[in-house]
Amino acid sequence: MSAQPPVFNRVAVIGLGLIGGSLACAVRRRGLAGSVVGYDKRPDELSLGESLGVIDEAADSLEQAVKGSDLVVLAVPVRATRAVLQEIKPWLDDAAVLSDVGSTKTSFVEDVKSVFGSVSPSVIPGHPIAGSEKSGIRAANPDLFNHHKVILTPGDDADPQALSSLRSLWEGCGANVLTMSPRYHDEVLAATSHLPHLIAFSLVDTLAGEDENMDIFRYAAGGFRDFTRIAASDPVMWHDIFLSNREAVLRVIDHFTHDLDQLRSAIADQDSAKLLRVFSRAKAAREHFSKILSGQAFVTNHSDKQVTFRLQPGGAVSGEFRVPGDKSMSHRSIMLGALAEGVTEVTGFLEGEDSLATLQAFRDMGVTIEGPDNGFVRIHGVGMKGLQAPRGPLYLGNSGTAMRLFAGLMAAQSFNSELTGDASLSKRPMGRVADPLRAMGAVIDTEEGGRPPMRIKGGQKLTGIHYEMPMASAQVKSCLLLAGLYADGSTSVTEPAPTRDHTERMLSGFGYHVYRDGPTASVSGGGELSATNIDVPADISSAAFFLVAASIAPESELVLRHVGINPTRTGVINILKLMGADIDIFNEREIGGEPVADIRVRSAELKGIDIPEDQVPLAIDEFPVLFIAAACAKGRTVLRGAEELRVKESDRIQVMADGLEAVGVKTTVTADGIVIDGGQTIAGGVVNSHGDHRIAMSFAVASLRAEGEIEVRDCANVATSFPGFVELAQNCGIQIAAEGA
């Protein structure tokens, strides 16, 4: 491995055990410091460290180690920290960065306060999540931290330069560096590291005391050996950790003991439903931990992943296929199935991250859900009043639909709840649902500007209202209708223009009457939902990318199977037909109350149009790719009345305009729309999608008419709405490669 530029002049590592020795060795081997000095109270380990090349210099005393060092790292047992700090205090330079590698961070901060009187901005506690069954200086491994997490827990007033330098040092050692508060670190580690070690120690100790202990260990399966391996860890170190992180460990032990008692009762009572609910929830959580449970483990989030689409120009598209299931219906099928009496089976479920987040949220509230397995999900409904309080916030990924619909449901529950999402969702306004819900009696707190997280107080009595929506929005309408299921009296919503009616149709499918009178939909509270089976059609929003692709690419023809053609969703087809697209809808049928059909689309010479305003709500999610169609058409396309586009995952009007300009297409942005003169040359260029999946996929389609390579950045969120998009695009003829996926 090539040496890194030095980050510090002189690094002192106090304690040359496995972690301290490995850190010293990595820093020295990778040239991350001018010199590495080590100190250990065991003279033989110290001299061995020098002879093995782990350190540059063996210090005879703490004074010799600390004096003149601009980074001092304590790698000593956590219960010894305060005594070591007391010893180094006279020699520690005021400007030196002080850190550690201990498993508990609150105790380190308290020790620093006790010894120094306060926590200096240059104190940056740290914890590498790495280890080995081996110990001592001979086990020092400069590659120990490769691809492992290191958690830094700086205070609010930490020196930015000190934090940056320490981060660079750990990254130079190959680690993935995260930051969080000391207290949150201790809570997370109590659950994910400390409790498993405690259980392993206890289980091995218990079984070792059994009469047939030799047979128990002789015939133990690999899973037992893997799990109990951590019981071979250093007993003194773990003794210190448990005592230092006492409060957090006790809390998580109490939670675990309570749940273990419930499992014991379920086994004793032969309660198969309870066992299935716990096991399926745990299996799903484990499988999707890193993707959708942000905040449950070491604060991972797929949006941190940098994915770039690289698109070669030109080509034609052809083929016959079915795009993934409708996301809007996938969300609603889980929600209503969970609240129904009986078992609901769903086919065609979209296994994208947003839909999976909705599914996991209901598991977190006690609903047994089997699957998904190739789009099949079985939901064991708990009834309208059967949801249980989740242990923490409900994470809803990147989905504004989920958050707004959940707000309506959670406003009526008996328990408190908090709705959170990823960085993109956290910027989106939720006042449009919070305000009318408050008018119904809900108590909801949001961040500044009505943004998430949404904190909803349970136990509130809701009263039905009539709400005239100022702006057409299926999400707002659905939110209020779902809250209305629990409200006293009737809840009615009047929309200024038609929006998708999946909620109304699906409620009817679950046996809940929805009264419709022109633009008004209403429900009466107090009813029940009855389980049903749902076949989710292919998502017309996903099909839209290929409808435009086949329309603009010469000599193209595609057949898209089993597409949902709900009349409140077909604006994209209506607009493309007005532009002259060659689209044939055939094999029409109705499945589960939703109209579906197969669609054939061929190349056509599109023309610019004034988009009818009554079509805007019917195509609100498809406009990014329709802008690409407009850029390829002859003549001018004008969009008005589309303010809603400015509060989607991004300001889709401005972001699309910026992207088109980046590839040489001039547009005129207006307050509620855009003007695009077609026929301009689409050149190559670099487009920033701003994390908006529909922007990213739209410019993939634009490459078919481009004259140079298009690079689209920040594309990780495509997985939220269209898993498998890249592979499907490649198979039908779009020349796309995903880098960093």
Side-chain angles (χ1 to χ4, degrees):
M1 176 161 308
S2 61
Q4 305 292 315
V7 180
F8 292 94
N9 293 321
R10 189 173 191 264
V11 172
V13 179
I14 312 301
L16 295 177
L18 171 69
I19 300 298
S22 296
L23 174 61
C25 192
V27 170
R28 184 173 183 272
R29 298 275 180 89
R30 303 183 189 210
L32 295 164
S35 65
V36 179
V37 58
Y39 174 80
D40 198 287
K41 66 180 182 180
R42 300 164 295 180
D44 54 337
E45 291 288 282
L46 189 59
S47 59
L48 187 59
E50 190 173 28
S51 64
L52 292 175
V54 172
I55 54 178
D56 293 305
E57 175 190 346
D60 295 330
S61 65
L62 282 170
E63 176 184 356
Q64 184 182 339
V66 172
K67 252 185 174 180
S69 295
D70 50 349
L71 170 64
V72 176
V73 180
L74 271 57
V76 300
V78 293
R79 300 281 282 184
T81 298
R82 186 169 299 190
V84 174
L85 288 171
Q86 200 72 253
E87 286 191 65
I88 69 172
K89 180 181 178 182
W91 323 114
L92 185 68
D93 191 291
D94 289 342
V97 177
L98 175 64
S99 188
D100 76 318
V101 297
S103 295
T104 61
K105 303 279 58 105
T106 305
S107 64
F108 180 76
V109 172
E110 291 303 317
D111 287 342
V112 170
K113 286 181 181 176
S114 174
V115 172
F116 292 91
S118 63
V119 179
S120 162
S122 58
V123 173
I124 313 287
H127 177 205
I129 312 296
S132 167
E133 291 184 37
K134 299 177 182 179
S135 60
I137 195 67
R138 289 188 182 276
N141 175 10
D143 298 322
L144 182 66
F145 310 109
N146 278 356
H147 310 300
H148 284 267
K149 294 179 176 67
V150 170
I151 302 174
L152 300 180
T153 62
D156 292 338
D157 62 345
D159 179 359
Q161 183 57 51
L163 176 59
S164 175
S165 296
L166 189 58
R167 175 188 287 274
S168 296
L169 181 114
W170 277 114
E171 289 175 345
C173 292
N176 175 22
V177 180
L178 307 171
T179 59
M180 60 178 70
S181 72
R183 186 169 299 280
Y184 185 59
H185 166 278
D186 289 356
E187 294 285 348
V188 170
L189 268 293
T192 59
S193 175
H194 303 168
L195 180 63
H197 277 82
L198 188 75
I199 294 169
F201 280 121
S202 177
L203 181 60
V204 173
D205 184 54
T206 298
L207 296 180
E210 297 289 329
D211 291 339
E212 305 298 330
N213 56 41
M214 285 302 295
D215 283 343
I216 289 172
F217 288 99
R218 180 181 296 118
Y219 298 116
F224 175 84
R225 291 192 296 273
D226 290 343
F227 174 67
T228 57
R229 174 186 60 79
I230 56 179
S233 303
D234 181 354
V236 174
M237 177 184 75
W238 281 100
H239 160 274
D240 291 356
I241 288 170
F242 287 123
L243 293 181
S244 296
N245 199 24
R246 176 176 174 271
E247 296 303 322
V249 170
L250 288 176
R251 279 193 292 274
V252 75
I253 288 175
D254 289 344
H255 278 152
F256 178 73
T257 302
H258 173 266
D259 288 356
L260 197 60
D261 284 343
Q262 287 196 325
L263 283 175
R264 187 191 186 286
S265 298
I267 294 170
D269 299 339
Q270 299 188 49
D271 187 346
S272 62
K274 172 76 172 180
L275 292 174
L276 181 60
R277 181 162 64 248
V278 173
F279 295 164
S280 61
R281 187 168 66 228
K283 179 179 184 293
R286 179 64 181 83
E287 289 174 349
H288 302 299
F289 232 57
S290 62
K291 288 186 177 178
I292 62 177
L293 295 187
S294 175
Q296 301 295 305
F298 300 123
V299 194
T300 58
N301 191 319
H302 74 88
S303 63
D304 294 333
K305 190 176 182 181
Q306 292 303 312
V307 176
T308 297
F309 287 172
R310 196 167 301 282
L311 298 131
Q312 301 308 313
V317 294
S318 62
E320 180 178 318
F321 51 85
R322 178 172 170 172
V323 299
D326 186 286
K327 184 163 67 168
S328 297
M329 293 184 63
S330 294
H331 283 303
R332 288 162 171 83
S333 68
I334 298 297
M335 292 178 180
L336 299 188
L339 298 174
E341 303 286 345
V343 177
T344 293
E345 294 187 346
V346 181
T347 54
F349 176 80
L350 172 66
E351 295 184 39
E353 293 181 21
D354 284 353
S355 306
L356 291 172
T358 290
L359 188 150
Q360 185 63 35
F362 279 98
R363 282 186 169 127
D364 289 344
M365 292 188 287
V367 181
T368 300
I369 302 176
E370 300 174 58
D373 181 11
N374 291 320
F376 176 77
V377 179
R378 182 180 288 116
I379 309 160
H380 298 259
V382 297
M384 294 289 289
K385 298 181 179 179
L387 296 180
Q388 301 170 15
R391 288 183 179 168
L394 297 174
Y395 176 76
L396 303 175
N398 187 241
S399 179
T401 297
M403 181 163 285
R404 293 184 177 115
L405 269 60
F406 264 90
L409 288 178
M410 305 316 294
Q413 301 305 317
S414 60
F415 48 82
N416 296 343
S417 58
E418 181 177 341
L419 307 179
T420 68
D422 68 7
S424 173
L425 182 57
S426 297
K427 297 174 184 175
R428 299 175 66 182
M430 294 296 149
R432 61 178 61 188
V433 293
D435 291 342
L437 286 173
R438 290 176 183 128
M440 296 178 72
V443 177
I444 301 174
D445 290 327
T446 62
E447 295 298 302
E448 185 178 353
R451 289 172 169 76
M454 300 181 74
R455 299 176 187 88
I456 303 172
K457 186 175 181 180
Q460 306 305 302
K461 183 178 180 180
L462 302 187
T463 303
I465 62 170
H466 174 69
Y467 187 65
E468 298 268 354
M469 288 200 299
M471 180 187 299
S473 170
Q475 295 176 1
V476 175
K477 176 179 65 173
S478 296
C479 166
L480 299 181
L481 291 177
L482 292 175
L485 303 181
Y486 292 88
D488 288 344
S490 175
T491 299
S492 58
V493 183
T494 299
E495 50 190 355
T499 64
R500 58 188 66 177
D501 62 356
H502 299 307
T503 299
E504 298 96 301
R505 287 174 181 263
M506 200 173 288
L507 279 170
S508 297
F510 278 90
Y512 207 110
H513 180 66
V514 180
Y515 180 76
R516 301 184 224 202
D517 182 13
T520 301
S522 61
V523 295
S524 295
E528 291 186 348
L529 298 167
S530 300
T532 187
N533 294 334
I534 298 172
D535 184 2
V536 178
D539 194 339
I540 194 167
S541 293
S542 296
F545 299 103
F546 296 98
L547 294 175
V548 173
S551 294
I552 67 172
E555 300 179 3
S556 294
E557 180 175 347
L558 284 175
V559 175
L560 305 174
R561 297 293 186 189
H562 199 74
V563 180
I565 57 166
N566 184 304
T568 63
R569 297 287 301 280
T570 53
V572 63
I573 293 176
N574 299 337
I575 291 168
L576 283 172
K577 283 187 170 182
L578 289 171
M579 296 177 74
D582 184 354
I583 296 175
D584 179 28
I585 298 174
F586 62 101
N587 195 18
E588 296 185 50
R589 61 261 190 212
E590 188 170 289
I591 297 178
E594 288 281 347
V596 298
D598 300 329
I599 302 175
R600 179 179 289 107
V601 55
R602 301 181 179 90
S603 305
E605 189 173 283
L606 302 182
K607 64 179 185 295
I609 62 169
D610 277 12
I611 297 174
E613 289 196 37
D614 64 356
Q615 295 298 308
V616 171
L618 312 184
I620 197 67
D621 284 334
E622 293 75 54
F623 275 113
V625 77
L626 283 171
F627 290 179
I628 301 300
C632 297
K634 287 188 175 181
R636 172 171 289 185
T637 297
V638 180
L639 171 66
R640 302 181 185 87
E643 302 96 329
E644 174 79 1
L645 286 174
R646 292 195 178 274
V647 291
K648 291 289 187 177
E649 283 81 340
S650 67
D651 178 344
R652 284 182 171 160
I653 294 175
Q654 190 60 55
V655 173
M656 280 300 299
D658 293 344
L660 285 168
E661 184 173 11
V663 295
V665 177
K666 302 295 184 184
T667 64
T668 302
V669 172
T670 62
D672 64 344
I674 195 169
V675 178
I676 302 174
D677 288 312
Q680 301 180 59
T681 298
I682 300 177
V686 178
V687 175
N688 186 345
S689 76
H690 293 273
D692 191 324
H693 45 106
R694 299 200 190 279
I695 304 291
M697 290 184 282
S698 295
F699 280 98
V701 172
S703 69
L704 291 164
R705 287 283 291 272
E707 294 189 356
E709 180 182 275
I710 295 177
E711 177 184 320
V712 187
R713 296 177 178 171
D714 201 4
C715 302
N717 275 335
V718 168
T720 67
S721 66
F722 200 149
F725 169 76
V726 171
E727 293 77 9
L728 198 56
Q730 289 170 338
N731 290 340
C732 77
I734 296 176
Q735 300 177 75
I736 180 173
E739 299 176 354

